[in-house]
Amino acid sequence: MPHRVVERRVEAEGIVTVVLEPVSGEPVVWRPGQFAMLTAFGVGEAAISVSGVPGERGLRHTIRDVGAVSHALCSAEVGSVVGVRGAFGTSWGVEELGARDVVVVAGGIGVVPLRGALWSLATRAPGHGVLAVALGARSPDQVIFRDDIDGWREAGAEVELTVDVADAGWTGSVGLVTAALSRLSFDEQDTVALVCGPEVMMRIVARALVDRGVAADRVRLSLERNMQCGIGLCGHCQLGPLVVCRDGPVLLYSRVAALLAERER
Amino acid sequence: MIEDLSELVGRHPLFAGLPADVSVLVAGCAHNAAFGPNELVLAEGGHAEEFYLLRRGRVTLEVHAPGRGPLAIDTLGPGSVLGLSWLFPPYRWSFDARSLEPVGAISVDATCLRDKAEADPAFGFALMKRLGAVLLERLEATRIRLLDVYGDARPT
């Protein structure tokens, strides 16, 4: 379905947010954690996570410029038209979490599909459990959503932000995101964890959470595989018995732990 | 209420779960320490005569580079061990350590603790197992950071 770019914002070098509205017809219905297939006409199609917050204007995607399609999407000016299919896949399921403690761990651009979930969790009804957030980035200039981070803190979330490599002006933490996670306080026995980032990072984080006492079936990971059709037909994103675009991208660690060593087809 | 130092030692992750007499042994080499924000806690090249069990606040490990000023390479927070060079000759700090905010810690006299570990091999082995786990965790974290995992997004 053709959508027009109605807003464009550079989040960091090589990372751009675009807000899309349908040229005609109904807006796309989505939930935090889902993705859509975006088409840059004449270039190609790619699976891109929704970065919006429920209630925000339009369909929001935050895209890293790493290839021909993402470059074309990142370069799309306000007023230009792109194609949208979806939204597809499973969501974080934040509406099921009630008042329990939630720990969120995101690395790099992995915070993108978590932005909507984080706002939903940060603005839960009074009396909810802890919201503890560990964010990792490669370097200070790659930290995105700084206004949102401030907002989550103001809403009561404990946010630990760390970078792998600091620059001279950085006064925050330096180190792996698991170190940031270790500084967070939450009830391990009654916590749900939402994790997104590079798969190597997610494996380490998931193991650290389980070692700390969080049950594997309470750790939700968002997997990125080679999604092409978005509807579970082509098999490009197959992971063992799972088709990530249909069964995921959000999956329980208890279901995928053994599969994460599988090589992509 | 003033807490007994051995109880504080016993609650720190480095010694948590070990018999109470271990905490008493360590506390015999220890005292409370506090630092204000932006204080130099350890100085590169300095003699590693004491180390710290962090209880509150964060400390950054830094390296000075000509023309670039201090470069932060790691951040340690509550529950961490600050200082490992006291374990091995020549007992010299490899990095600066600077407090990012008010820090509360237990300072442990390194020579005192090494002497107790030498005199009591069971205690010494327990101590080395705990410190070995800290070293392994930091080595693994450093290796993962070397992978630059946030930079390898798939082209689309």
Side-chain angles (χ1 to χ4, degrees):
Chain A
M1 189 163 62
H3 277 60
R4 194 173 308 281
V5 178
V6 295
E7 285 180 38
R8 179 179 183 275
R9 171 190 165 114
V10 177
E11 303 285 355
E13 184 180 354
I15 303 174
V16 171
T17 292
V18 292
V19 179
L20 311 174
E21 290 185 341
V23 171
S24 62
E26 294 297 308
V28 169
V29 176
W30 57 272
R31 288 169 293 150
Q34 289 189 298
F35 68 95
M37 301 299 298
L38 301 190
T39 298
F41 294 115
V43 183
E45 187 183 52
I48 307 286
S49 297
V50 177
S51 61
V53 177
E56 274 185 331
R57 177 190 187 190
L59 178 66
R60 185 175 297 250
H61 291 275
T62 301
I63 306 161
R64 186 164 182 190
D65 182 351
V66 288
V69 178
S70 57
H71 178 72
L73 293 168
C74 285
S75 305
E77 298 291 343
V78 171
S80 58
V81 174
V82 301
V84 175
R85 290 194 297 125
F88 297 123
T90 53
S91 73
W92 293 110
V94 289
E95 61 282 355
E96 309 157 5
L97 300 180
R100 64 173 25 139
D101 285 8
V102 179
V103 59
V104 175
V105 186
I109 201 156
V111 70
V112 165
L114 282 160
R115 179 173 172 267
L118 274 161
W119 272 115
S120 296
L121 292 163
T123 54
R124 283 184 289 179
H128 62 74
V130 163
L131 174 57
V133 185
L135 302 176
R138 179 198 236 178
S139 54
D141 64 349
Q142 289 287 300
V143 176
I144 61 173
F145 301 158
R146 286 176 187 258
D147 292 344
D148 296 289
I149 293 169
D150 290 343
W152 300 329
R153 283 183 170 136
E154 285 166 14
E158 182 185 6
V159 182
E160 281 279 344
L161 172 63
T162 188
V163 298
D164 274 3
V165 181
D167 57 26
W170 179 251
T171 57
S173 294
V174 180
L176 200 62
V177 73
T178 46
L181 172 64
S182 73
R183 291 193 287 270
L184 294 173
S185 303
F186 50 88
D187 177 4
E188 290 87 351
Q189 303 304 313
D190 191 30
T191 289
V192 171
L194 314 180
V195 184
C196 187
E199 215 164 280
V200 173
M201 183 215 90
M202 287 198 292
R203 288 204 304 267
I204 295 165
V205 167
R207 284 200 294 261
L209 286 163
V210 171
D211 288 346
R212 193 164 158 176
V214 180
D217 62 1
R218 288 188 173 174
V219 178
R220 303 177 185 183
L221 312 179
S222 179
L223 298 188
E224 180 187 280
R225 291 277 156 158
N226 181 18
M227 299 172 194
Q228 294 203 2
C229 72
I231 51 176
L233 292 178
C234 75
H236 280 87
C237 60
Q238 188 171 353
L239 178 63
L242 305 174
V243 179
V244 175
C245 72
R246 182 194 62 202
D247 302 316
V250 179
L251 290 154
L252 298 179
Y253 181 56
S254 55
R255 195 174 179 199
V256 299
L259 300 172
L260 287 180
E262 292 275 335
R263 303 306 192 262
E264 198 171 58
R265 296 179 182 206
Chain B
M1 189 180 82
I2 298 174
E3 291 182 276
D4 184 80
L5 192 56
S6 64
E7 289 178 16
L8 295 179
V9 168
R11 282 211 297 272
H12 191 277
L14 184 64
F15 295 108
L18 293 179
D21 56 345
V22 168
S23 302
V24 173
L25 200 68
V26 175
C29 297
H31 64 272
N32 278 308
F35 300 93
N38 201 32
E39 274 194 53
L40 192 63
V41 182
L42 307 177
E44 179 184 339
H47 187 51
E49 51 198 12
E50 59 184 355
F51 68 97
Y52 299 93
L53 307 175
L54 298 182
R55 297 181 55 223
R56 289 188 307 276
R58 292 175 304 150
V59 173
T60 183
L61 302 185
E62 298 175 347
V63 177
H64 270 267
R68 298 175 66 188
L71 298 174
I73 53 173
D74 205 355
T75 304
L76 303 176
S80 297
V81 180
L82 172 60
L84 294 167
S85 301
W86 61 274
L87 269 173
F88 308 104
Y91 309 125
R92 187 178 299 133
W93 298 126
S94 302
F95 306 108
D96 288 347
R98 186 177 298 279
S99 53
L100 286 171
E101 53 209 19
V103 166
I106 299 167
S107 170
V108 184
D109 182 301
T111 306
C112 172
L113 198 66
R114 282 199 308 267
D115 287 348
K116 289 186 177 181
E118 294 279 3
D120 180 348
F123 165 66
F125 185 54
L127 178 67
M128 288 304 291
K129 281 197 290 185
R130 292 296 179 98
L131 289 166
V134 173
L135 286 165
L136 177 63
E137 184 181 316
R138 293 191 192 168
L139 174 62
E140 288 176 346
T142 302
R143 285 174 166 166
I144 297 297
R145 284 168 64 188
L146 286 172
L147 285 175
D148 189 20
V149 290
Y150 303 137
D152 66 354
R154 174 188 300 107
T156 49

